[in-house]
Amino acid sequence: MSVVTGSSTRFGALGSNANRPDGNAKVQGGFAFSSDMWAENMLWGATMRSPHPHARLLSIDASEAWKIPGVECVVTADDVPGLPNYGLIMQDQPVFARVGDTVRYLGEPILAVAADHPETCRRALAAIKVRYEVLEPVTDPERCIDGSAPPLHPDGNVFRHQRIVSGDQTIIGEIQVEGTYEIGMQDQAFLGLEAALAVPDTGGDGVELYIATQWLHEDRKQIAACLGLPEEKVRLVLGGVGGAFGAREDISLQVHTCLLALRTGRPVRISYSREESFFGHVHRHPATIWMRHHADAQGRILRIESRMVFDGGAYCSTSPAVLINAITHTQGPYKCENATVDGWALRTNNPPCGAMRGFGVVQACFAHESQMDKLAAATGLSPVEVRLRNAMETGDRLITGQIMDSVAPVERCIRETDAIPLPPPMPMDANELLVPGGTGLTALPSNIRRGVGWGVSIKNLMYSEGFDDFSTARCRISNGAVHVKFATAEVGQGFVMLAQQIARSVLGVDDVYLDPIDTQVGSAGSTSASRQTWMSGGAVDAACRAVRDELLDRVATARGLVRQELRIDGTDIVDALTGTRIAVAEVIGDHEIDHTVEYHHPATEDLDENGQGNCHVAFAFVAHRAVVDVDPDLGLVKVVQIATAQDVGRVLNPLSVQGQVEGGIAQGLGLAVMEEIIVTDGKVRNPSFTDYLLPTFLDAPTVDMVLIEEPEPKSPLGAKGVGEPPCVSVTPAIANAIRNAIGRELPRVPVRPYDICL
Amino acid sequence: MDHLLELLADHDDASVLAGGTDLMVEVNLHGRRPGTVIPVGGLEEMREWNHRPRSNSVTIGAALPYSDMERGPLAELLPALAQAARTVGSPQIRAAGTIGGNLGTCSPAGDILPVLAALDATIHVLHRDHSRDIRFADFMTGVKRNCLTPGEVVHSVTVPLTRGWQGYAKVGTRNAMVISTASACLVHDAEEGHVALALGAVAPTIVRAVKAEAWLSRQVDLRGTFRVSPETAHEFGLRAASETSPITDHRSTAEYRRHAVSVLARRLLERSAS
Ligand SMILES: Cc1cc2nc3c(=O)[nH]c(=O)nc-3n(C[C@H](O)[C@H](O)[C@H](O)COP(=O)(O)OP(=O)(O)OC[C@H]3O[C@@H](n4cnc5c(N)ncnc54)[C@H](O)[C@@H]3O)c2cc1C
């Protein structure tokens, strides 16, 4: 662990609100997002997609498209030289649907074209005749469990079925509470749309892809396999990424763009529109979760039973891992060793679902936190007291048999949140825009009821179940300057800033140059699972330390000093024996030092058939208390305040943490009251920001936060990931607050106006 | 203006472009490819508004953007129009979007339309060869349909000024920048002793709740200031809602829409009375 001393919180170092290297450009509109990329002689690509959720693809006739001047290329499944399918876990998703085979969701790619102008592409797509035999879509995942659905894919309709059977199955609680909860399909809704630019090598035996993604090396592996090229012939460079939230973990336009470029020998760019984006990436799994808690009369949880059904949609994506996250978080941040959980992730003809911020834990948390309020009501305890009584601690045994060995300040999260003052009651002359209904002027303060609700959560950090998601970083001193290189996808979270902060703190320099983010260095793993500060932060820290150690060795030798007495303090090398200070900047010009280091987290295990195993690396915790104003007659909601205390290990950049907390809360609020992809009969009804509603500034609450700093000994910088926890328990906190205001069960999110008032 | 009318008459495939906040969505999202586009935003006379004290009315140019209605002197004359304008989209949309565009699109969810219906607005339509004054009730003929014929353009809209309370309310699932799920505009004419109520997004066209209006006039003397009992307001809301024919779609259900307009009608009536 690096120690942050008073002197190392100098501006730009760890612990300070360092400037983001991409900050000014982003604020001023000068930052090049991947949809801004352009190359000389570039063609435009476009994708044709299935208009049916389930159909047999009978024929494709592209002859008319080829006749359109400016059309350079049409590629179909027949033109994929390597593996026909891709996928993160199971390779079950076709690059393009194949004639004779079926299409399994509305929006599945059929073919792609390249032309001299986007408008030419549009005309080309309109000129291509595709015939389908429309089939009945399977949209109810239960039909995949009871076996009444036909197999939709040679790999079957079950992505994963996993039980947890733990401890005593016979316990019957004096108090029992149960419910069936539903979570709607949320979209990541990043603002920077999917875009890629592929530039073929001269000679055409390789390609360079500029791409907005979360994990360059995993993309490269899948792209190379589909292109039938060795990995070193496919080079990826990170394009400017405008948000990700899980939606860029899977391949979307990568293979299509490369294929068109290799075929035409010209650079090709594909950029999705907002509408296409809704079909081009996976979403958060809609889920139905039944839970029953057994407790004693004092409200202590004795046993939990649960059944979870996750609709994975047409292709596997990360469904099995999402499911495992959900079922292993059934107990929430509470003590309990006895559980029976039955989890299913299933294939249907609905849109494919996969990673989204919170990754399965969001769904489980909505269920267990709804249950905790029922338990509070059944035992006569307050929502705070019932949670405190069950609060998990370090050393507890989880329902997977794993021992909680992370710092686990659950009680502190709850108490510190509880200590944050409640907002004053709504004044009768409140600003009319702050009343539920906002600019619609639907209500007066006298129409409104206020409610308070709680949500507390546990979230695993890093990849699980035996996955070695290591990260690589290179640090070098060259020509008197420090350079850091990594393949960590900067998706907006600020790793580029953190890497500089780490290098400044470890090496005692102010200027740190970042090399391009590409595949010319080892994998960094994915920018997911709240893992990059820990993993890539750990790698950058280790690489910088290796360079620092060699530098101090050399300085000691050159100047005849005792190596053990040398350390870096601020921007100086200090000799503890003599008190001599030498500015680092003064010596680095004399040395060329270069180290590349991989950082690995401790190994984890697969779950066995009873769901037992040390499957997770580490955990973080957070509590949320929501205050909402509700218009009971119209069902409109305004979230007034979110109070939160989050277990962050250590704050490396206060402003950045605040940004993650506030942003995650806005995203969790979206799921609570408005964000949902509405799918009927396999058809997405609202693929636009007109009807897929994201919270606006007027919907965003005041956020009052406490950051709990108890450094995590296992983490290289003492810090825990802060990205996902904010959006996990804020959703049930808001739902519980609405329930508190109006006294209804509200078993589903998003809570719709008519759920409240009809 | 004459040049515009010439151009329109010569190009019967032409699309008028005002703020473009509907037209460009049609082009970019729905693949509409207008053969000819004629912008009207540069015509000063279509971007003006005039208070005519003699006829006690206000005439608003079709290309006046919402940002000029939501505050300032026009907002003081026509608060319901200001409130409706304020609910439209975002500041960027309100800086561009116009009444002419709302009338051109004629969506049942168009926020200005219930105001025009409640105020009995007159739409001034010009053509190279003729001009027409059309009551709003006759202008909107269906979902995204109006009675304009090729070569015609909405020049302006005239609304009477009434003494009495007026207001607009709109339900959406977000606190700002949202398409209406149900909306209502209520205008109290204290001199005539009448309350006009228009409902949006609950039928193929804007609904004037004429039966509820007439019923209310029988229950309460609406001249000058008036009072209503909670029961009367409640029943007014229910009666108004029964004059609508909402649909269920991905934005909401028919049942909720009917319920929501009844609540809005009740609340607006109570506000106008107090
Ligand atoms: C993000 C966003 C949010 C929105 N939110 C709302 C909302 O909350 N409430 C709402 O009501 N609307 C909303 N709209 C729709 C739109 O802004 C309004 O309908 C607006 O009034 C359109 O005006 P415009 O000047 O931009 O019309 P344009 O797009 O220029 O034109 C729209 C149509 O009207 C025709 N037209 C324009 N002017 C005239 C004229 N003088 N005579 C005859 N025909 C004409 C055009 O040919 C075209 O068919 C929103 C749109 C967007 C993009």
Side-chain angles (χ1 to χ4, degrees), chain A residues 128-340:
Chain A
I128 295 172
K129 294 186 200 70
V130 180
R131 285 175 42 242
Y132 300 91
E133 176 197 344
V134 176
L135 304 171
E136 189 67 32
V138 174
T139 56
D140 177 6
E142 289 290 346
R143 292 188 54 206
C144 302
I145 300 177
D146 68 25
S148 68
L152 299 174
H153 190 279
D155 294 345
N157 292 353
V158 178
F159 295 129
R160 188 156 175 182
H161 176 215
Q162 175 72 51
R163 288 195 165 90
I164 295 178
V165 181
S166 156
D168 184 346
Q169 305 296 299
T170 63
I171 294 171
I172 301 293
E174 199 171 317
I175 289 176
Q176 293 182 27
V177 290
E178 73 174 280
T180 301
Y181 305 97
E182 229 183 276
I183 296 92
M185 185 188 288
Q186 190 180 18
D187 190 61
Q188 299 85 348
F190 48 53
L191 292 186
L193 295 161
E194 288 92 342
L197 171 68
V199 183
D201 294 352
T202 38
D205 63 343
V207 63
E208 190 156 78
L209 183 70
Y210 297 79
I211 174 75
T213 181
Q214 292 179 238
W215 189 357
L216 290 164
H217 286 75
E218 173 63 30
D219 275 16
R220 177 170 72 166
K221 186 175 100 192
Q222 295 182 53
I223 297 165
C226 292
L227 296 177
L229 290 174
E231 284 191 19
E232 61 274 14
K233 289 291 180 191
V234 180
R235 294 179 312 283
L236 267 62
V237 181
L238 190 70
V241 188
F245 311 110
R248 298 187 208 268
E249 282 190 28
D250 292 79
I251 295 279
S252 55
L253 41 59
Q254 284 86 331
V255 182
H256 304 163
T257 318
C258 290
L259 263 179
L260 291 170
L262 288 166
R263 278 290 175 124
T264 57
R266 287 169 65 175
V268 174
R269 193 184 97 190
I270 300 184
S271 293
Y272 287 176
S273 67
R274 176 60 58 190
E275 185 184 20
E276 187 168 21
S277 177
F278 274 99
F279 299 100
H281 62 247
V282 300
H283 314 292
R284 191 191 294 292
H285 288 76
T288 304
I289 300 179
W290 168 81
M291 261 190 203
R292 179 189 287 150
H293 280 63
H294 297 261
D296 65 16
Q298 285 72 49
R300 280 189 199 86
I301 300 168
L302 304 175
R303 179 162 83 96
I304 306 171
E305 299 170 89
S306 182
R307 179 175 183 270
M308 304 195 183
V309 176
F310 278 59
D311 182 352
Y315 294 103
C316 180
S317 179
T318 49
S319 281
V322 170
L323 179 74
I324 282 338
N325 256 23
I327 62 170
T328 57
H329 288 71
T330 300
Q331 70 197 102
Y334 307 113
K335 292 173 189 292
C336 179
E337 297 188 10
N338 306 302
T340 326

Side-chain angles (χ1 to χ4, degrees), chain B residues 50-59 158-162:
Chain B
N50 293 297
H51 179 195
R52 301 219 162 82
R54 223 156 21 99
S55 60
N56 201 24
S57 67
V58 172
T59 297
T158 296
V159 293
L161 291 177
T162 50

Side-chain angles (χ1 to χ4, degrees), chain B residues 16-23 25 46 62 66 87-89 93 96-98 100-102 104-105 109-111 148 153-154 170 178:
Chain B
V16 169
L17 174 75
T21 60
D22 276 325
L23 188 65
V25 175
M46 281 180 65
Y66 294 127
T87 74
V88 174
I93 296 296
T98 66
N102 219 236
T105 300
D111 278 311
L148 290 179
V153 64
V154 176
K170 155 181 170 181
V178 66

